[in-house]
Amino acid sequence: MQITVALVRAELERVAAERPDHRDGRAANRQPCRYLTGGEPSCLVALVLHRLGVSVGVLRALDHEVGRRGAGVRINESRHPALRRVEPAALALLAYVQRMQDSGHTWGQAVEDALSEKRRYGRFARPWMTPSA
């Protein structure tokens, strides 16, 4: 199954509605963020990917993949073959909310900013907002 912007967007909205005030505790304590904790998805991106069919094994591999900041690669830096199922604009959307979450924003704030026409926090390109996305 292809993971599209529409699927990612819908799942982000569901997760944010369920846990709008949740913050990643590791990010708040300036620790490296993880996709899994105790074998369960622990961040916004991991939870969305898992709900869209990405396995715990893939999330575990992302935690061990080495990126620019060491182990635990950012989603848009990963070369894991499972992420080829994610449309580029959907991957950009996930990377955006990951940056927001990692900088201490709540899941609700991250999703609201990512999907809003008016940006409050991020200054990055948002290809998921184009009509073709």
Side-chain angles (χ1 to χ4, degrees), residues 79-117:
R79 289 188 244 165
H80 197 286
L83 296 180
R84 291 183 194 139
R85 295 181 8 205
V86 183
E87 289 179 347
L91 193 62
L93 173 53
L94 290 169
Y96 186 90
V97 296
Q98 186 175 50
R99 260 191 314 272
M100 297 290 296
Q101 173 202 274
D102 291 355
S103 62
H105 293 87
T106 66
W107 288 5
Q109 289 170 325
V111 172
E112 180 184 343
D113 189 67
L115 301 180
S116 172
E117 291 293 328

PDB file of all heavy atoms in Angstrom, residues 79-117:
ATOM      1  N   ARG A  79      17.246   5.781   4.816  1.00  0.00           N
ATOM      2  CA  ARG A  79      17.325   5.082   3.535  1.00  0.00           C
ATOM      3  C   ARG A  79      16.658   3.714   3.622  1.00  0.00           C
ATOM      4  O   ARG A  79      16.896   2.853   2.792  1.00  0.00           O
ATOM      5  CB  ARG A  79      18.783   4.942   3.119  1.00  0.00           C
ATOM      6  CG  ARG A  79      19.375   6.273   2.704  1.00  0.00           C
ATOM      7  CD  ARG A  79      20.730   6.105   2.129  1.00  0.00           C
ATOM      8  NE  ARG A  79      21.657   6.802   3.031  1.00  0.00           N
ATOM      9  CZ  ARG A  79      22.939   6.650   3.034  1.00  0.00           C
ATOM     10  NH1 ARG A  79      23.511   5.820   2.220  1.00  0.00           N
ATOM     11  NH2 ARG A  79      23.690   7.322   3.869  1.00  0.00           N
ATOM     12  N   HIS A  80      15.840   3.527   4.638  1.00  0.00           N
ATOM     13  CA  HIS A  80      15.185   2.229   4.813  1.00  0.00           C
ATOM     14  C   HIS A  80      14.252   1.966   3.632  1.00  0.00           C
ATOM     15  O   HIS A  80      13.431   2.828   3.287  1.00  0.00           O
ATOM     16  CB  HIS A  80      14.399   2.182   6.127  1.00  0.00           C
ATOM     17  CG  HIS A  80      14.066   0.801   6.533  1.00  0.00           C
ATOM     18  ND1 HIS A  80      13.095   0.062   5.898  1.00  0.00           N
ATOM     19  CD2 HIS A  80      14.604  -0.010   7.479  1.00  0.00           C
ATOM     20  CE1 HIS A  80      13.032  -1.134   6.443  1.00  0.00           C
ATOM     21  NE2 HIS A  80      13.939  -1.206   7.404  1.00  0.00           N
ATOM     22  N   PRO A  81      14.344   0.793   3.014  1.00  0.00           N
ATOM     23  CA  PRO A  81      13.518   0.506   1.830  1.00  0.00           C
ATOM     24  C   PRO A  81      12.012   0.547   2.094  1.00  0.00           C
ATOM     25  O   PRO A  81      11.237   0.839   1.176  1.00  0.00           O
ATOM     26  CB  PRO A  81      13.956  -0.892   1.405  1.00  0.00           C
ATOM     27  CG  PRO A  81      14.862  -1.406   2.447  1.00  0.00           C
ATOM     28  CD  PRO A  81      15.260  -0.282   3.337  1.00  0.00           C
ATOM     29  N   ALA A  82      11.573   0.311   3.309  1.00  0.00           N
ATOM     30  CA  ALA A  82      10.138   0.347   3.617  1.00  0.00           C
ATOM     31  C   ALA A  82       9.557   1.738   3.416  1.00  0.00           C
ATOM     32  O   ALA A  82       8.369   1.886   3.131  1.00  0.00           O
ATOM     33  CB  ALA A  82       9.881  -0.122   5.047  1.00  0.00           C
ATOM     34  N   LEU A  83      10.385   2.769   3.536  1.00  0.00           N
ATOM     35  CA  LEU A  83       9.893   4.141   3.396  1.00  0.00           C
ATOM     36  C   LEU A  83       9.695   4.550   1.939  1.00  0.00           C
ATOM     37  O   LEU A  83       9.163   5.625   1.673  1.00  0.00           O
ATOM     38  CB  LEU A  83      10.816   5.113   4.115  1.00  0.00           C
ATOM     39  CG  LEU A  83      10.889   4.918   5.635  1.00  0.00           C
ATOM     40  CD1 LEU A  83      11.825   5.938   6.260  1.00  0.00           C
ATOM     41  CD2 LEU A  83       9.520   4.979   6.271  1.00  0.00           C
ATOM     42  N   ARG A  84      10.062   3.681   1.007  1.00  0.00           N
ATOM     43  CA  ARG A  84       9.793   3.970  -0.408  1.00  0.00           C
ATOM     44  C   ARG A  84       8.297   3.988  -0.688  1.00  0.00           C
ATOM     45  O   ARG A  84       7.863   4.523  -1.690  1.00  0.00           O
ATOM     46  CB  ARG A  84      10.479   2.934  -1.300  1.00  0.00           C
ATOM     47  CG  ARG A  84      11.978   3.054  -1.286  1.00  0.00           C
ATOM     48  CD  ARG A  84      12.615   2.066  -2.232  1.00  0.00           C
ATOM     49  NE  ARG A  84      14.037   1.989  -1.949  1.00  0.00           N
ATOM     50  CZ  ARG A  84      14.750   0.886  -1.935  1.00  0.00           C
ATOM     51  NH1 ARG A  84      14.177  -0.278  -2.235  1.00  0.00           N
ATOM     52  NH2 ARG A  84      16.025   0.909  -1.642  1.00  0.00           N
ATOM     53  N   ARG A  85       7.516   3.376   0.205  1.00  0.00           N
ATOM     54  CA  ARG A  85       6.049   3.368   0.075  1.00  0.00           C
ATOM     55  C   ARG A  85       5.444   4.723   0.411  1.00  0.00           C
ATOM     56  O   ARG A  85       4.269   4.953   0.167  1.00  0.00           O
ATOM     57  CB  ARG A  85       5.441   2.344   1.036  1.00  0.00           C
ATOM     58  CG  ARG A  85       5.795   0.939   0.752  1.00  0.00           C
ATOM     59  CD  ARG A  85       5.146  -0.024   1.723  1.00  0.00           C
ATOM     60  NE  ARG A  85       4.164   0.568   2.610  1.00  0.00           N
ATOM     61  CZ  ARG A  85       3.840   0.077   3.786  1.00  0.00           C
ATOM     62  NH1 ARG A  85       4.388  -1.022   4.231  1.00  0.00           N
ATOM     63  NH2 ARG A  85       2.934   0.674   4.533  1.00  0.00           N
ATOM     64  N   VAL A  86       6.219   5.602   1.011  1.00  0.00           N
ATOM     65  CA  VAL A  86       5.715   6.902   1.452  1.00  0.00           C
ATOM     66  C   VAL A  86       5.974   7.927   0.349  1.00  0.00           C
ATOM     67  O   VAL A  86       7.108   8.130  -0.059  1.00  0.00           O
ATOM     68  CB  VAL A  86       6.395   7.351   2.766  1.00  0.00           C
ATOM     69  CG1 VAL A  86       5.810   8.666   3.253  1.00  0.00           C
ATOM     70  CG2 VAL A  86       6.291   6.275   3.835  1.00  0.00           C
ATOM     71  N   GLU A  87       4.892   8.558  -0.127  1.00  0.00           N
ATOM     72  CA  GLU A  87       5.041   9.602  -1.141  1.00  0.00           C
ATOM     73  C   GLU A  87       5.978  10.698  -0.625  1.00  0.00           C
ATOM     74  O   GLU A  87       5.966  10.997   0.573  1.00  0.00           O
ATOM     75  CB  GLU A  87       3.690  10.247  -1.446  1.00  0.00           C
ATOM     76  CG  GLU A  87       2.727   9.390  -2.190  1.00  0.00           C
ATOM     77  CD  GLU A  87       1.406  10.095  -2.441  1.00  0.00           C
ATOM     78  OE1 GLU A  87       1.130  11.167  -1.843  1.00  0.00           O
ATOM     79  OE2 GLU A  87       0.645   9.565  -3.237  1.00  0.00           O
ATOM     80  N   PRO A  88       6.770  11.305  -1.508  1.00  0.00           N
ATOM     81  CA  PRO A  88       7.690  12.357  -1.069  1.00  0.00           C
ATOM     82  C   PRO A  88       7.023  13.484  -0.280  1.00  0.00           C
ATOM     83  O   PRO A  88       7.561  13.935   0.738  1.00  0.00           O
ATOM     84  CB  PRO A  88       8.306  12.866  -2.381  1.00  0.00           C
ATOM     85  CG  PRO A  88       8.229  11.689  -3.293  1.00  0.00           C
ATOM     86  CD  PRO A  88       6.939  10.995  -2.934  1.00  0.00           C
ATOM     87  N   ALA A  89       5.865  13.947  -0.717  1.00  0.00           N
ATOM     88  CA  ALA A  89       5.184  15.029   0.020  1.00  0.00           C
ATOM     89  C   ALA A  89       4.716  14.540   1.392  1.00  0.00           C
ATOM     90  O   ALA A  89       4.737  15.297   2.367  1.00  0.00           O
ATOM     91  CB  ALA A  89       4.016  15.572  -0.790  1.00  0.00           C
ATOM     92  N   ALA A  90       4.293  13.287   1.487  1.00  0.00           N
ATOM     93  CA  ALA A  90       3.885  12.717   2.778  1.00  0.00           C
ATOM     94  C   ALA A  90       5.093  12.584   3.702  1.00  0.00           C
ATOM     95  O   ALA A  90       4.994  12.841   4.907  1.00  0.00           O
ATOM     96  CB  ALA A  90       3.210  11.360   2.572  1.00  0.00           C
ATOM     97  N   LEU A  91       6.236  12.216   3.141  1.00  0.00           N
ATOM     98  CA  LEU A  91       7.465  12.127   3.932  1.00  0.00           C
ATOM     99  C   LEU A  91       7.861  13.518   4.433  1.00  0.00           C
ATOM    100  O   LEU A  91       8.281  13.674   5.588  1.00  0.00           O
ATOM    101  CB  LEU A  91       8.573  11.507   3.094  1.00  0.00           C
ATOM    102  CG  LEU A  91       9.817  11.067   3.829  1.00  0.00           C
ATOM    103  CD1 LEU A  91       9.497   9.977   4.854  1.00  0.00           C
ATOM    104  CD2 LEU A  91      10.856  10.558   2.849  1.00  0.00           C
ATOM    105  N   ALA A  92       7.697  14.529   3.596  1.00  0.00           N
ATOM    106  CA  ALA A  92       7.996  15.904   4.014  1.00  0.00           C
ATOM    107  C   ALA A  92       7.076  16.334   5.157  1.00  0.00           C
ATOM    108  O   ALA A  92       7.522  16.994   6.107  1.00  0.00           O
ATOM    109  CB  ALA A  92       7.864  16.863   2.836  1.00  0.00           C
ATOM    110  N   LEU A  93       5.811  15.952   5.099  1.00  0.00           N
ATOM    111  CA  LEU A  93       4.861  16.266   6.169  1.00  0.00           C
ATOM    112  C   LEU A  93       5.284  15.587   7.471  1.00  0.00           C
ATOM    113  O   LEU A  93       5.309  16.214   8.532  1.00  0.00           O
ATOM    114  CB  LEU A  93       3.453  15.833   5.764  1.00  0.00           C
ATOM    115  CG  LEU A  93       2.347  15.920   6.815  1.00  0.00           C
ATOM    116  CD1 LEU A  93       2.259  17.307   7.435  1.00  0.00           C
ATOM    117  CD2 LEU A  93       1.014  15.502   6.196  1.00  0.00           C
ATOM    118  N   LEU A  94       5.656  14.326   7.396  1.00  0.00           N
ATOM    119  CA  LEU A  94       6.121  13.613   8.595  1.00  0.00           C
ATOM    120  C   LEU A  94       7.394  14.241   9.157  1.00  0.00           C
ATOM    121  O   LEU A  94       7.547  14.381  10.380  1.00  0.00           O
ATOM    122  CB  LEU A  94       6.353  12.132   8.278  1.00  0.00           C
ATOM    123  CG  LEU A  94       5.098  11.317   8.021  1.00  0.00           C
ATOM    124  CD1 LEU A  94       5.458   9.952   7.454  1.00  0.00           C
ATOM    125  CD2 LEU A  94       4.271  11.178   9.300  1.00  0.00           C
ATOM    126  N   ALA A  95       8.301  14.638   8.277  1.00  0.00           N
ATOM    127  CA  ALA A  95       9.544  15.279   8.730  1.00  0.00           C
ATOM    128  C   ALA A  95       9.247  16.606   9.425  1.00  0.00           C
ATOM    129  O   ALA A  95       9.881  16.959  10.428  1.00  0.00           O
ATOM    130  CB  ALA A  95      10.488  15.498   7.549  1.00  0.00           C
ATOM    131  N   TYR A  96       8.279  17.345   8.914  1.00  0.00           N
ATOM    132  CA  TYR A  96       7.907  18.626   9.504  1.00  0.00           C
ATOM    133  C   TYR A  96       7.368  18.434  10.922  1.00  0.00           C
ATOM    134  O   TYR A  96       7.813  19.102  11.855  1.00  0.00           O
ATOM    135  CB  TYR A  96       6.872  19.306   8.611  1.00  0.00           C
ATOM    136  CG  TYR A  96       6.513  20.706   9.039  1.00  0.00           C
ATOM    137  CD1 TYR A  96       7.228  21.791   8.552  1.00  0.00           C
ATOM    138  CD2 TYR A  96       5.462  20.946   9.903  1.00  0.00           C
ATOM    139  CE1 TYR A  96       6.890  23.087   8.928  1.00  0.00           C
ATOM    140  CE2 TYR A  96       5.117  22.236  10.291  1.00  0.00           C
ATOM    141  CZ  TYR A  96       5.846  23.292   9.795  1.00  0.00           C
ATOM    142  OH  TYR A  96       5.519  24.571  10.166  1.00  0.00           O
ATOM    143  N   VAL A  97       6.409  17.519  11.081  1.00  0.00           N
ATOM    144  CA  VAL A  97       5.857  17.326  12.429  1.00  0.00           C
ATOM    145  C   VAL A  97       6.901  16.724  13.361  1.00  0.00           C
ATOM    146  O   VAL A  97       6.898  16.999  14.558  1.00  0.00           O
ATOM    147  CB  VAL A  97       4.539  16.511  12.441  1.00  0.00           C
ATOM    148  CG1 VAL A  97       3.447  17.243  11.702  1.00  0.00           C
ATOM    149  CG2 VAL A  97       4.714  15.118  11.921  1.00  0.00           C
ATOM    150  N   GLN A  98       7.833  15.943  12.810  1.00  0.00           N
ATOM    151  CA  GLN A  98       8.909  15.402  13.634  1.00  0.00           C
ATOM    152  C   GLN A  98       9.796  16.533  14.169  1.00  0.00           C
ATOM    153  O   GLN A  98      10.151  16.554  15.345  1.00  0.00           O
ATOM    154  CB  GLN A  98       9.745  14.407  12.821  1.00  0.00           C
ATOM    155  CG  GLN A  98      10.793  13.675  13.638  1.00  0.00           C
ATOM    156  CD  GLN A  98      11.506  12.625  12.808  1.00  0.00           C
ATOM    157  OE1 GLN A  98      11.971  12.910  11.707  1.00  0.00           O
ATOM    158  NE2 GLN A  98      11.568  11.419  13.338  1.00  0.00           N
ATOM    159  N   ARG A  99      10.122  17.485  13.301  1.00  0.00           N
ATOM    160  CA  ARG A  99      10.923  18.643  13.744  1.00  0.00           C
ATOM    161  C   ARG A  99      10.187  19.418  14.820  1.00  0.00           C
ATOM    162  O   ARG A  99      10.782  19.858  15.811  1.00  0.00           O
ATOM    163  CB  ARG A  99      11.185  19.583  12.561  1.00  0.00           C
ATOM    164  CG  ARG A  99      12.524  19.443  11.934  1.00  0.00           C
ATOM    165  CD  ARG A  99      12.844  20.560  10.949  1.00  0.00           C
ATOM    166  NE  ARG A  99      11.792  20.894  10.013  1.00  0.00           N
ATOM    167  CZ  ARG A  99      11.600  20.332   8.834  1.00  0.00           C
ATOM    168  NH1 ARG A  99      12.404  19.373   8.428  1.00  0.00           N
ATOM    169  NH2 ARG A  99      10.613  20.711   8.051  1.00  0.00           N
ATOM    170  N   MET A 100       8.899  19.620  14.618  1.00  0.00           N
ATOM    171  CA  MET A 100       8.092  20.354  15.593  1.00  0.00           C
ATOM    172  C   MET A 100       8.071  19.618  16.937  1.00  0.00           C
ATOM    173  O   MET A 100       8.261  20.224  17.985  1.00  0.00           O
ATOM    174  CB  MET A 100       6.666  20.522  15.073  1.00  0.00           C
ATOM    175  CG  MET A 100       6.542  21.346  13.808  1.00  0.00           C
ATOM    176  SD  MET A 100       6.890  23.077  14.068  1.00  0.00           S
ATOM    177  CE  MET A 100       5.560  23.494  15.160  1.00  0.00           C
ATOM    178  N   GLN A 101       7.800  18.320  16.884  1.00  0.00           N
ATOM    179  CA  GLN A 101       7.748  17.524  18.107  1.00  0.00           C
ATOM    180  C   GLN A 101       9.101  17.527  18.810  1.00  0.00           C
ATOM    181  O   GLN A 101       9.179  17.709  20.015  1.00  0.00           O
ATOM    182  CB  GLN A 101       7.351  16.081  17.770  1.00  0.00           C
ATOM    183  CG  GLN A 101       7.447  15.173  18.973  1.00  0.00           C
ATOM    184  CD  GLN A 101       7.579  13.727  18.566  1.00  0.00           C
ATOM    185  OE1 GLN A 101       6.584  13.093  18.357  1.00  0.00           O
ATOM    186  NE2 GLN A 101       8.794  13.243  18.475  1.00  0.00           N
ATOM    187  N   ASP A 102      10.167  17.346  18.038  1.00  0.00           N
ATOM    188  CA  ASP A 102      11.508  17.284  18.628  1.00  0.00           C
ATOM    189  C   ASP A 102      11.943  18.612  19.237  1.00  0.00           C
ATOM    190  O   ASP A 102      12.827  18.651  20.081  1.00  0.00           O
ATOM    191  CB  ASP A 102      12.536  16.832  17.591  1.00  0.00           C
ATOM    192  CG  ASP A 102      12.366  15.372  17.188  1.00  0.00           C
ATOM    193  OD1 ASP A 102      11.509  14.672  17.783  1.00  0.00           O
ATOM    194  OD2 ASP A 102      13.067  14.940  16.262  1.00  0.00           O
ATOM    195  N   SER A 103      11.302  19.707  18.821  1.00  0.00           N
ATOM    196  CA  SER A 103      11.647  20.999  19.405  1.00  0.00           C
ATOM    197  C   SER A 103      10.741  21.348  20.591  1.00  0.00           C
ATOM    198  O   SER A 103      10.785  22.460  21.099  1.00  0.00           O
ATOM    199  CB  SER A 103      11.634  22.101  18.350  1.00  0.00           C
ATOM    200  OG  SER A 103      10.358  22.252  17.797  1.00  0.00           O
ATOM    201  N   GLY A 104       9.931  20.382  21.024  1.00  0.00           N
ATOM    202  CA  GLY A 104       9.178  20.554  22.259  1.00  0.00           C
ATOM    203  C   GLY A 104       7.717  20.915  22.131  1.00  0.00           C
ATOM    204  O   GLY A 104       7.033  21.094  23.141  1.00  0.00           O
ATOM    205  N   HIS A 105       7.202  21.037  20.927  1.00  0.00           N
ATOM    206  CA  HIS A 105       5.789  21.354  20.743  1.00  0.00           C
ATOM    207  C   HIS A 105       4.932  20.123  21.027  1.00  0.00           C
ATOM    208  O   HIS A 105       5.367  18.994  20.853  1.00  0.00           O
ATOM    209  CB  HIS A 105       5.532  21.845  19.319  1.00  0.00           C
ATOM    210  CG  HIS A 105       6.170  23.162  19.051  1.00  0.00           C
ATOM    211  ND1 HIS A 105       7.462  23.283  18.627  1.00  0.00           N
ATOM    212  CD2 HIS A 105       5.696  24.414  19.181  1.00  0.00           C
ATOM    213  CE1 HIS A 105       7.764  24.557  18.485  1.00  0.00           C
ATOM    214  NE2 HIS A 105       6.704  25.274  18.823  1.00  0.00           N
ATOM    215  N   THR A 106       3.703  20.375  21.441  1.00  0.00           N
ATOM    216  CA  THR A 106       2.773  19.271  21.658  1.00  0.00           C
ATOM    217  C   THR A 106       2.391  18.672  20.311  1.00  0.00           C
ATOM    218  O   THR A 106       2.545  19.304  19.263  1.00  0.00           O
ATOM    219  CB  THR A 106       1.483  19.735  22.365  1.00  0.00           C
ATOM    220  OG1 THR A 106       0.765  20.604  21.481  1.00  0.00           O
ATOM    221  CG2 THR A 106       1.780  20.408  23.697  1.00  0.00           C
ATOM    222  N   TRP A 107       1.849  17.451  20.372  1.00  0.00           N
ATOM    223  CA  TRP A 107       1.409  16.813  19.136  1.00  0.00           C
ATOM    224  C   TRP A 107       0.317  17.639  18.474  1.00  0.00           C
ATOM    225  O   TRP A 107       0.292  17.781  17.259  1.00  0.00           O
ATOM    226  CB  TRP A 107       0.938  15.395  19.413  1.00  0.00           C
ATOM    227  CG  TRP A 107       2.066  14.458  19.729  1.00  0.00           C
ATOM    228  CD1 TRP A 107       3.393  14.764  19.876  1.00  0.00           C
ATOM    229  CD2 TRP A 107       1.964  13.056  19.943  1.00  0.00           C
ATOM    230  NE1 TRP A 107       4.107  13.640  20.175  1.00  0.00           N
ATOM    231  CE2 TRP A 107       3.264  12.576  20.219  1.00  0.00           C
ATOM    232  CE3 TRP A 107       0.904  12.169  19.942  1.00  0.00           C
ATOM    233  CZ2 TRP A 107       3.523  11.239  20.478  1.00  0.00           C
ATOM    234  CZ3 TRP A 107       1.163  10.832  20.204  1.00  0.00           C
ATOM    235  CH2 TRP A 107       2.453  10.373  20.458  1.00  0.00           C
ATOM    236  N   GLY A 108      -0.573  18.205  19.259  1.00  0.00           N
ATOM    237  CA  GLY A 108      -1.628  19.047  18.710  1.00  0.00           C
ATOM    238  C   GLY A 108      -1.072  20.267  18.011  1.00  0.00           C
ATOM    239  O   GLY A 108      -1.510  20.626  16.910  1.00  0.00           O
ATOM    240  N   GLN A 109      -0.097  20.937  18.634  1.00  0.00           N
ATOM    241  CA  GLN A 109       0.523  22.117  18.029  1.00  0.00           C
ATOM    242  C   GLN A 109       1.241  21.753  16.734  1.00  0.00           C
ATOM    243  O   GLN A 109       1.154  22.480  15.745  1.00  0.00           O
ATOM    244  CB  GLN A 109       1.530  22.757  18.984  1.00  0.00           C
ATOM    245  CG  GLN A 109       0.920  23.452  20.170  1.00  0.00           C
ATOM    246  CD  GLN A 109       1.984  23.851  21.194  1.00  0.00           C
ATOM    247  OE1 GLN A 109       2.976  23.144  21.397  1.00  0.00           O
ATOM    248  NE2 GLN A 109       1.750  24.976  21.842  1.00  0.00           N
ATOM    249  N   ALA A 110       1.972  20.653  16.757  1.00  0.00           N
ATOM    250  CA  ALA A 110       2.740  20.230  15.582  1.00  0.00           C
ATOM    251  C   ALA A 110       1.816  19.967  14.398  1.00  0.00           C
ATOM    252  O   ALA A 110       2.069  20.434  13.280  1.00  0.00           O
ATOM    253  CB  ALA A 110       3.566  18.991  15.905  1.00  0.00           C
ATOM    254  N   VAL A 111       0.737  19.246  14.643  1.00  0.00           N
ATOM    255  CA  VAL A 111      -0.194  18.905  13.565  1.00  0.00           C
ATOM    256  C   VAL A 111      -0.957  20.148  13.109  1.00  0.00           C
ATOM    257  O   VAL A 111      -1.108  20.385  11.908  1.00  0.00           O
ATOM    258  CB  VAL A 111      -1.143  17.776  13.993  1.00  0.00           C
ATOM    259  CG1 VAL A 111      -2.242  17.549  12.971  1.00  0.00           C
ATOM    260  CG2 VAL A 111      -0.347  16.491  14.233  1.00  0.00           C
ATOM    261  N   GLU A 112      -1.406  20.950  14.042  1.00  0.00           N
ATOM    262  CA  GLU A 112      -2.127  22.172  13.673  1.00  0.00           C
ATOM    263  C   GLU A 112      -1.263  23.068  12.794  1.00  0.00           C
ATOM    264  O   GLU A 112      -1.715  23.581  11.773  1.00  0.00           O
ATOM    265  CB  GLU A 112      -2.558  22.929  14.924  1.00  0.00           C
ATOM    266  CG  GLU A 112      -3.302  24.209  14.622  1.00  0.00           C
ATOM    267  CD  GLU A 112      -3.637  25.008  15.868  1.00  0.00           C
ATOM    268  OE1 GLU A 112      -3.589  24.464  16.983  1.00  0.00           O
ATOM    269  OE2 GLU A 112      -3.951  26.200  15.717  1.00  0.00           O
ATOM    270  N   ASP A 113      -0.009  23.257  13.175  1.00  0.00           N
ATOM    271  CA  ASP A 113       0.875  24.115  12.395  1.00  0.00           C
ATOM    272  C   ASP A 113       1.161  23.514  11.025  1.00  0.00           C
ATOM    273  O   ASP A 113       1.165  24.222  10.028  1.00  0.00           O
ATOM    274  CB  ASP A 113       2.187  24.367  13.143  1.00  0.00           C
ATOM    275  CG  ASP A 113       3.018  25.428  12.456  1.00  0.00           C
ATOM    276  OD1 ASP A 113       2.591  26.591  12.436  1.00  0.00           O
ATOM    277  OD2 ASP A 113       4.079  25.078  11.910  1.00  0.00           O
ATOM    278  N   ALA A 114       1.369  22.220  10.980  1.00  0.00           N
ATOM    279  CA  ALA A 114       1.678  21.564   9.709  1.00  0.00           C
ATOM    280  C   ALA A 114       0.528  21.653   8.719  1.00  0.00           C
ATOM    281  O   ALA A 114       0.746  21.783   7.511  1.00  0.00           O
ATOM    282  CB  ALA A 114       2.042  20.100   9.945  1.00  0.00           C
ATOM    283  N   LEU A 115      -0.701  21.605   9.217  1.00  0.00           N
ATOM    284  CA  LEU A 115      -1.866  21.550   8.335  1.00  0.00           C
ATOM    285  C   LEU A 115      -2.572  22.889   8.164  1.00  0.00           C
ATOM    286  O   LEU A 115      -3.521  22.993   7.397  1.00  0.00           O
ATOM    287  CB  LEU A 115      -2.848  20.491   8.850  1.00  0.00           C
ATOM    288  CG  LEU A 115      -2.266  19.074   8.954  1.00  0.00           C
ATOM    289  CD1 LEU A 115      -3.308  18.114   9.477  1.00  0.00           C
ATOM    290  CD2 LEU A 115      -1.673  18.619   7.633  1.00  0.00           C
ATOM    291  N   SER A 116      -2.096  23.898   8.841  1.00  0.00           N
ATOM    292  CA  SER A 116      -2.709  25.226   8.768  1.00  0.00           C
ATOM    293  C   SER A 116      -2.133  26.029   7.606  1.00  0.00           C
ATOM    294  O   SER A 116      -0.952  25.914   7.282  1.00  0.00           O
ATOM    295  CB  SER A 116      -2.443  25.960  10.084  1.00  0.00           C
ATOM    296  OG  SER A 116      -2.852  27.293   9.982  1.00  0.00           O
ATOM    297  N   GLU A 117      -2.980  26.828   7.013  1.00  0.00           N
ATOM    298  CA  GLU A 117      -2.505  27.748   5.967  1.00  0.00           C
ATOM    299  C   GLU A 117      -1.560  28.793   6.563  1.00  0.00           C
ATOM    300  O   GLU A 117      -0.663  29.272   5.902  1.00  0.00           O
ATOM    301  CB  GLU A 117      -3.692  28.450   5.307  1.00  0.00           C
ATOM    302  CG  GLU A 117      -4.545  27.534   4.470  1.00  0.00           C
ATOM    303  CD  GLU A 117      -3.841  27.006   3.235  1.00  0.00           C
ATOM    304  OE1 GLU A 117      -2.997  27.719   2.666  1.00  0.00           O
ATOM    305  OE2 GLU A 117      -4.133  25.871   2.841  1.00  0.00           O
TER     306      GLU A 117
END
